[in-house]
Amino acid sequence: MHTPTQAPPFPFERTDELHPPREYALLRGSTPTARITLYSGTEAWLLTRYEDVKAVLGDHRFSADARNAGFPFVSAALRASVGQKHIPFLRLDPPEHDRLRRMLSREFIVKRIDALRPAIEAIVDRFIDQLLGAGHPADLVANFALPIPSAVIAELLGVPYADHEYFQERGRRMLSSEFTLEQSARAVVELREYLGELAERKRAEPGDDVLSRLVHERVVTGELDPEDLKSSALLLLVAGHETTANMIGLGVYTLLGHPEQHARLRADPALITRVVEELLRFLSIVHTGVPRVALEDVEIGGTLIRRGEGVIASVPAANRDESVFAEATRFDIDREPNRHLAFGFGIHQCLGQPLARRELEIALTRLFERVPTLRLTGDSTFGPEKSVYGLHELRVAW
């Protein structure tokens, strides 16, 4: 129990499956730049206003490099993902960040993602068949939401889908606070070793996939260190399935819980783009926010943040800021404009957002087309302990 003079522990408990912790709204109204206490006992700043979150994410004076002193780790799992020489470009600053990101950016341009549509549609239909074959009631997470992004990212990267249980379990150990620092660190090592061995096989037998192209166009030429290849592939593999899987599951849950808007989508599938954008804003599943550390003294929202102090830019809080989004707690597929920050902002915003959007559009459209009578059975289990807020189980019938 903390006293009123102590910074409250973070992350806050999330008690409502569709809404972020109530503390965000309270702080945004009274102390939008507030002190919090992280799991390690260290303190950091929490930002809850849209304009402040956007300002920090777009400001080079706030570093994403997790090796910098003062970087605010929200869990042991996050700390385990760094502490090595080669870390994911997500946790680097320019110029290293820009150099590594450029090597991958062409793989995620809209044109290339659109070319994947037939493959994504085939994957989605395969798992709708699996869901329908599971009997009543069926778990939508295990049979649909989780396997689709795993199969898509495996197809894109060139990772055998037969190994999906291996990388899903280790990805869970990397993201969940239920595991110790040592367990999370071991998961990172195991996945790096796995991807390194796979890259060696791609050197001898390349395919039409991202990993093969990186090996032959970047590693063989000496432009990319093999260890950096492992880090980049690890980031894409884990981030590419965990967040999208939870968005699919929670997206279905949200739409079934809003029958009028669900009916509009079924009547007019062209609304899917608006639906997906509002789901991204409304759910904001990376609920612990985006960590940064100040490289110099900076004033944000009237508060001086000193060099070396950690900052958590809360995307869920920003996406519920009433000064930007009218009736922000309401799910509204007619919301316009919808300048949410679900994919971040600035040079570090999510590289894979075109793929995530396309997966969500195809998965939700095809599911409701093929299973128009889909309904919730009332048996669902949520997982607020993860850095990515999502569903462990969602029971459905039709």
Side-chain angles (χ1 to χ4, degrees):
M1 179 72 79
H2 67 281
T3 69
T5 58
Q6 292 177 316
F10 184 84
F12 303 131
E13 182 181 0
R14 187 167 189 167
T15 57
D16 187 304
E17 60 268 20
L18 291 183
H19 298 285
R22 61 189 297 271
E23 286 89 347
Y24 290 157
L26 295 173
L27 288 173
R28 192 168 52 245
S30 63
T31 318
T33 306
R35 297 294 282 172
I36 51 171
T37 301
L38 305 176
Y39 84 101
S40 60
T42 59
E43 290 191 3
W45 293 101
L46 176 69
L47 309 182
T48 51
R49 276 196 311 211
Y50 180 96
E51 61 182 277
D52 296 339
V53 169
K54 189 175 180 180
V56 164
L57 296 184
D59 193 328
H60 68 275
R61 295 173 296 176
F62 289 92
S63 171
D65 194 332
R67 297 167 298 184
N68 281 329
F71 187 86
F73 295 101
V74 297
S75 69
L78 178 58
R79 184 179 289 276
S81 69
V82 298
Q84 51 192 337
K85 181 180 178 181
H86 300 272
I87 65 177
F89 64 86
L90 177 68
R91 301 295 177 203
L92 293 173
D93 293 331
E96 295 94 337
H97 164 271
D98 297 351
R99 182 181 69 86
L100 293 171
R101 184 179 173 113
R102 275 195 300 270
M103 294 183 192
L104 291 166
S105 59
R106 71 172 186 174
E107 301 289 349
F108 291 93
I109 60 175
V110 173
K111 182 179 179 180
R112 192 177 285 268
I113 298 304
D114 283 344
L116 280 174
R117 175 178 281 275
I120 298 174
E121 289 176 339
I123 288 169
V124 168
D125 280 332
R126 185 168 97 227
F127 289 109
I128 292 176
D129 292 341
Q130 178 174 301
L131 177 70
L132 294 174
H136 290 257
D139 180 8
L140 185 120
V141 174
N143 291 290
F144 184 75
L146 183 59
I148 286 173
S150 296
V152 170
I153 199 63
E155 172 88 11
L156 185 69
L157 274 179
V159 174
Y161 181 69
D163 296 339
H164 69 279
E165 291 185 1
Y166 181 89
F167 63 75
Q168 283 174 359
E169 170 58 25
R170 280 149 187 81
R172 192 170 74 88
R173 279 196 252 154
M174 288 172 57
L175 293 172
S176 177
S177 59
E178 66 185 282
F179 296 98
T180 65
L181 175 63
E182 291 74 21
Q183 290 171 321
S184 296
R186 183 60 193 165
V188 173
V189 170
E190 289 172 353
L191 274 179
R192 287 178 64 87
E193 290 175 350
Y194 167 81
L195 290 166
E197 292 169 3
L198 182 59
E200 284 303 309
R201 296 205 298 272
K202 299 289 184 181
R203 186 188 290 262
E205 300 177 7
D208 183 17
D209 54 69
V210 172
L211 200 54
S212 293
R213 285 190 285 274
L214 287 175
V215 168
H216 286 270
E217 296 175 11
R218 305 294 187 178
V219 175
V220 170
T221 61
E223 188 178 356
L224 181 64
D225 187 287
E227 294 300 318
D228 284 327
L229 170 67
K230 293 179 190 178
S231 297
S232 296
L234 175 61
L235 173 64
L236 295 178
L237 183 63
V238 175
H241 80 262
E242 181 77 15
T243 50
T244 308
N246 281 306
M247 274 300 306
I248 292 173
L250 284 167
V252 171
Y253 182 88
T254 302
L255 284 164
L256 292 180
H258 293 80
E260 291 184 4
Q261 300 192 66
H262 176 219
R264 288 181 58 197
L265 174 61
R266 284 181 50 209
D268 183 7
L271 289 172
I272 188 61
T273 301
R274 284 188 177 187
V275 169
V276 166
E277 293 309 308
E278 178 64 351
L279 285 171
L280 288 164
R281 181 202 71 85
F282 187 72
L283 295 171
S284 300
I285 59 169
V286 183
H287 74 102
T288 52
V290 182
R292 293 287 187 266
V293 61
L295 296 178
E296 58 184 83
D297 292 359
V298 186
E299 185 174 303
I300 296 292
T303 298
L304 180 63
I305 298 176
R306 297 195 176 278
R307 176 182 179 182
E309 292 185 328
V311 173
I312 303 294
S314 177
V315 169
N319 282 343
R320 295 296 186 97
D321 189 334
E322 295 277 354
S323 69
V324 178
F325 305 100
E327 297 183 79
T329 60
R330 184 165 63 92
F331 178 69
D332 179 11
I333 63 175
D334 292 321
R335 191 175 298 281
E336 188 67 33
N338 193 350
R339 300 189 184 94
H340 63 76
L341 301 176
F343 291 114
F345 182 76
I347 64 170
H348 287 91
Q349 64 181 294
C350 178
L351 178 70
Q353 57 183 290
L355 177 62
R357 284 187 165 100
R358 195 67 74 246
E359 286 184 72
L360 285 166
E361 290 170 3
I362 295 171
L364 295 174
T365 300
R366 293 294 291 150
L367 178 66
F368 292 129
E369 282 178 352
R370 291 191 54 191
V371 196
T373 58
L374 190 74
R375 68 183 190 277
L376 302 174
T377 66
D379 301 319
S380 306
T381 306
F382 293 83
E385 81 283 355
K386 291 187 176 184
S387 62
V388 175
Y389 183 78
L391 286 159
H392 288 320
E393 185 178 41
L394 180 62
R395 309 297 288 185
V396 295
W398 47 91

